[in-house]
Amino acid sequence: MTSLCSGKNGAKIISPEFSNLVREVYKECLSCCESLSQVELVSKVPGKRYFAFAARKDISRAVNEDLWSPSLSDWDAFEDALNRKDFSALSDTQINRTLYSVAISFCSWCDLYDDPRKVPGTFFEKYIANLVGRYLGVVPTNSLQVLKFDDDDTELPTDLIFDLGKRKKKYHVPVKTSTRERGIQMWAHQRVIDGVYGTAKILGTPVLLTETKTDTKKREVVEICTPMQWQLFQSHIAKLDAVYYLDVPAKYEKLNSTPIRIAVSPFGAFFQ
Amino acid sequence: MTSLCSGKNGAKIISPEFSNLVREVYKECLSCCESLSQVELVSKVPGKRYFAFAARKDISRAVNEDLWSPSLSDWDAFEDALNRKDFSALSDTQINRTLYSVAISFCSWCDLYDDPRKVPGTFFEKYIANLVGRYLGVVPTNSLQVLKFDDDDTELPTDLIFDLGKRKKKYHVPVKTSTRERGIQMWAHQRVIDGVYGTAKILGTPVLLTETKTDTKKREVVEICTPMQWQLFQSHIAKLDAVYYLDVPAKYEKLNSTPIRIAVSPFGAFFQ
């Protein structure tokens, strides 16, 4: 599986070969997950139920029971829709469940069988880069040119940048399996980009997996959210255009209707 | 040693008891370091030589040979000067070496005998909070009040805040053993504080240990610096008033003389 996570971003990431590789990975993860037992977690998140996969004495990260929908044929239906750019036969909820199941099955597999610190984040970034890049029809980059009077032009390393072309929309897409105390970085990078290119020129639209944190000893799951701080970041640092989650935290979804609005949606809605 | 690292910040942190505890820790660390062998590291940092302490098959983080100056009597001389607020008998360089030796001996001890991920950062934060708090004569806090029209007043968690009183200086002091890719957070937090309280009202003055990274297999040490990005952060996010290092990276020291100036100095200079 590691071949998927190596190499630099580029045209390869939106190639059919890469998409096939994601399918292969999902297929393997599904057969692996089927063979594992599931343990119920004590959910401290109102309205959400979670379980974890178990192997030996270990348990995986938390899996949202209502989003977990393991099905390779659902994935094929989504891929077919993405290739045709016609999602009319699929609902947001269906799409979100499918995309969540791919991501969470791979992450859970890593938790149980691999180094949990590195691979899930890299896989998730490339997986989302593939989906967004194919949907928008552009190859993402990982840096922006910055003009300086004193030195030669320099490159600013960034999260994924999708540039639809001259006078067309451009997106700055941080991709993370969770933000926790690192959330502020998304706004800070957006601020630098706004400063260099102008406000609202490159739209900040992060794609995030979840904000759950699992206590493997107590077998409890909590969601770590700081909505008050997000509002301070949105009003004092920069404006994020939209925030997408596969497992949307209710505390962040409420920011849709606060005066300092942050548009938080399930990632499935991105494709409609 | 763990008792030092527990409890919340508050008056305790600038108490004589806490200072005595630091002395005890340093004494223990010195006797531990004396009994350890030292291995030369291949320094990829121009003009700096580094070694590591070795125990069993492990080696500690990199220790700067020119700054390493293990001496309890030097520490006592510094403490005496700090208590009298008279540093005339000590040079910046001497102070910096003494303060570096305390921090790096504790961190090295943790690398070899304890969980290296958590304790050094906590110790370093409290150690610096104690020194700065006693020098300024104020107890640091870890949050600021934020006024909101819509909700009750809320608290913004922050790095250390030293408030010298009405119409007197106030400092925002992030304390980290290294910044790496998290450096942007210092500017982002400063931006929020500037937004809430006004620019230059609370001065951003981080205190940092080093930017070295040690490859324990190759026994090589490098410095991870992104001076071009720091200039972008300083010009586009917020203005840090001064940045203090115990082991100053040359690439950041050069930012003192760039058009977008960042005042980077050895922490020893803070006490003059």
Side-chain angles (χ1 to χ4, degrees):
Chain A
M1 282 192 189
T2 49
S3 65
L4 185 66
C5 302
S6 61
K8 289 194 174 181
N9 284 316
K12 253 192 336 195
I13 209 137
I14 63 164
S15 68
E17 288 75 25
F18 190 90
S19 308
N20 291 338
L21 208 48
V22 173
R23 188 181 191 277
E24 284 307 304
V25 167
Y26 187 37
K27 197 175 160 188
E28 264 194 61
C29 288
L30 284 183
S31 86
C32 174
C33 289
E34 259 175 39
S35 71
L36 294 169
S37 59
Q38 297 181 8
V39 293
E40 200 73 24
L41 297 174
V42 179
S43 172
K44 300 285 182 183
V45 189
K48 290 186 182 179
R49 297 172 304 152
Y50 287 93
F51 69 87
F53 292 106
R56 300 174 308 273
K57 284 178 181 173
D58 301 331
I59 64 167
S60 73
R61 67 191 63 197
V63 180
N64 185 315
E65 280 193 43
D66 299 313
L67 293 174
W68 176 241
S69 157
S71 156
L72 200 61
S73 61
D74 281 357
W75 173 253
D76 290 335
F78 169 78
E79 276 284 300
D80 183 51
L82 180 55
N83 288 332
R84 289 185 294 106
K85 298 267 173 77
D86 174 7
F87 296 91
S88 55
L90 303 170
S91 71
D92 290 11
T93 314
Q94 265 180 290
I95 296 175
N96 208 60
R97 279 188 183 147
T98 301
L99 300 185
Y100 176 80
S101 300
V102 174
I104 208 74
S105 64
F106 181 79
C107 293
S108 299
W109 179 86
C110 291
D111 292 341
L112 295 173
Y113 296 108
D114 213 348
D115 180 339
R117 284 166 300 175
K118 283 191 176 166
V119 182
T122 313
F123 170 80
F124 188 63
E125 189 182 0
K126 289 176 187 283
Y127 165 61
I128 298 299
N130 171 271
L131 298 179
V132 175
R134 284 162 64 207
Y135 182 73
L136 299 175
V138 288
V139 176
T141 58
N142 261 131
S143 67
L144 282 172
Q145 197 187 27
V146 174
L147 300 171
K148 293 182 69 180
F149 277 109
D150 299 304
D151 301 311
D152 299 330
D153 295 351
T154 44
E155 293 281 320
L156 171 71
T158 61
D159 292 294
L160 299 170
I161 301 289
F162 297 88
D163 179 359
L164 273 64
K166 274 192 179 174
R167 281 175 286 280
K168 288 185 180 163
K169 283 196 173 173
K170 293 152 207 333
Y171 297 93
H172 163 227
V173 184
V175 179
K176 318 235 175 256
T177 53
S178 72
T179 67
R180 308 277 166 82
E181 73 289 351
R182 292 164 289 118
I184 195 170
Q185 290 183 8
M186 305 188 295
W187 279 272
H189 284 125
Q190 186 62 40
R191 169 103 208 154
V192 174
I193 292 170
D194 287 355
V196 174
Y197 286 88
T199 304
K201 191 90 181 178
I202 301 176
L203 303 171
T205 52
V207 180
L208 311 165
L209 176 52
T210 180
E211 296 298 350
T212 54
K213 189 181 174 187
T214 310
D215 183 322
T216 51
K217 279 187 189 158
K218 289 188 190 167
R219 303 207 161 174
E220 271 180 14
V221 55
V222 294
E223 241 171 11
I224 299 183
C225 295
T226 54
M228 194 279 284
Q229 289 183 46
W230 275 36
Q231 288 180 82
L232 283 172
F233 302 158
Q234 183 83 350
S235 49
H236 286 293
I237 302 179
K239 188 176 174 298
L240 293 182
D241 193 62
V243 179
Y244 293 102
Y245 269 101
L246 285 166
D247 182 7
V248 189
K251 284 185 184 170
Y252 288 150
E253 200 160 32
K254 280 184 192 155
L255 297 175
N256 276 295
S257 52
T258 50
I260 303 161
R261 181 175 181 251
I262 306 179
V264 179
S265 319
F267 186 47
F270 176 82
F271 298 92
Q272 296 293 3
Chain B
M1 282 194 191
T2 49
S3 64
L4 185 66
C5 301
S6 61
K8 288 193 174 181
N9 285 317
K12 251 194 335 195
I13 209 137
I14 63 163
S15 68
E17 288 74 24
F18 189 90
S19 308
N20 291 338
L21 207 49
V22 173
R23 188 182 191 278
E24 285 307 303
V25 168
Y26 187 37
K27 197 175 160 188
E28 262 193 62
C29 288
L30 284 184
S31 87
C32 174
C33 288
E34 259 175 40
S35 71
L36 294 169
S37 58
Q38 297 181 6
V39 291
E40 199 73 21
L41 297 175
V42 179
S43 171
K44 299 286 181 183
V45 188
K48 290 185 182 178
R49 296 172 304 153
Y50 287 92
F51 69 87
F53 292 106
R56 301 175 308 273
K57 284 178 182 175
D58 301 330
I59 63 167
S60 72
R61 68 190 62 198
V63 180
N64 185 316
E65 281 194 42
D66 301 314
L67 292 174
W68 175 242
S69 156
S71 156
L72 200 61
S73 61
D74 281 358
W75 173 253
D76 289 337
F78 170 78
E79 277 283 301
D80 182 52
L82 181 54
N83 287 332
R84 289 184 294 107
K85 297 269 174 76
D86 174 6
F87 296 89
S88 55
L90 301 171
S91 71
D92 290 11
T93 314
Q94 265 179 291
I95 295 175
N96 208 61
R97 278 188 185 146
T98 300
L99 300 185
Y100 176 80
S101 299
V102 173
I104 208 75
S105 64
F106 181 79
C107 293
S108 299
W109 179 85
C110 291
D111 292 340
L112 295 173
Y113 296 108
D114 213 347
D115 181 338
R117 283 165 300 175
K118 285 193 176 165
V119 182
T122 313
F123 170 78
F124 188 64
E125 190 183 359
K126 289 177 187 281
Y127 165 60
I128 298 298
N130 170 270
L131 298 179
V132 175
R134 284 162 64 207
Y135 182 72
L136 299 175
V138 288
V139 176
T141 58
N142 261 131
S143 67
L144 282 172
Q145 196 187 28
V146 174
L147 300 170
K148 293 182 69 179
F149 277 109
D150 300 303
D151 300 310
D152 299 330
D153 296 352
T154 45
E155 292 281 318
L156 171 70
T158 61
D159 293 294
L160 299 170
I161 301 288
F162 297 88
D163 180 357
L164 273 65
K166 273 193 179 175
R167 282 176 285 280
K168 288 185 180 164
K169 285 196 173 173
K170 294 153 205 334
Y171 297 93
H172 163 227
V173 184
V175 179
K176 319 236 174 251
T177 54
S178 72
T179 66
R180 307 278 167 83
E181 74 288 352
R182 293 164 286 118
I184 195 170
Q185 290 183 7
M186 305 189 297
W187 278 271
H189 284 125
Q190 186 62 41
R191 169 105 207 152
V192 175
I193 292 170
D194 287 355
V196 174
Y197 285 89
T199 304
K201 192 91 181 178
I202 301 177
L203 303 171
T205 52
V207 180
L208 311 165
L209 177 52
T210 179
E211 295 298 349
T212 54
K213 189 181 175 188
T214 309
D215 183 324
T216 51
K217 278 186 190 158
K218 288 189 189 166
R219 304 207 158 174
E220 271 180 14
V221 55
V222 294
E223 241 171 12
I224 299 183
C225 296
T226 53
M228 195 277 286
Q229 289 183 47
W230 274 36
Q231 287 181 81
L232 284 171
F233 302 158
Q234 183 81 349
S235 49
H236 286 293
I237 301 177
K239 190 178 173 298
L240 292 183
D241 193 62
V243 179
Y244 292 102
Y245 270 102
L246 285 165
D247 182 7
V248 189
K251 283 183 184 171
Y252 288 151
E253 199 160 33
K254 280 185 191 154
L255 296 175
N256 276 295
S257 52
T258 49
I260 305 161
R261 181 174 180 251
I262 307 178
V264 178
S265 319
F267 186 46
F270 177 81
F271 298 92
Q272 297 292 5

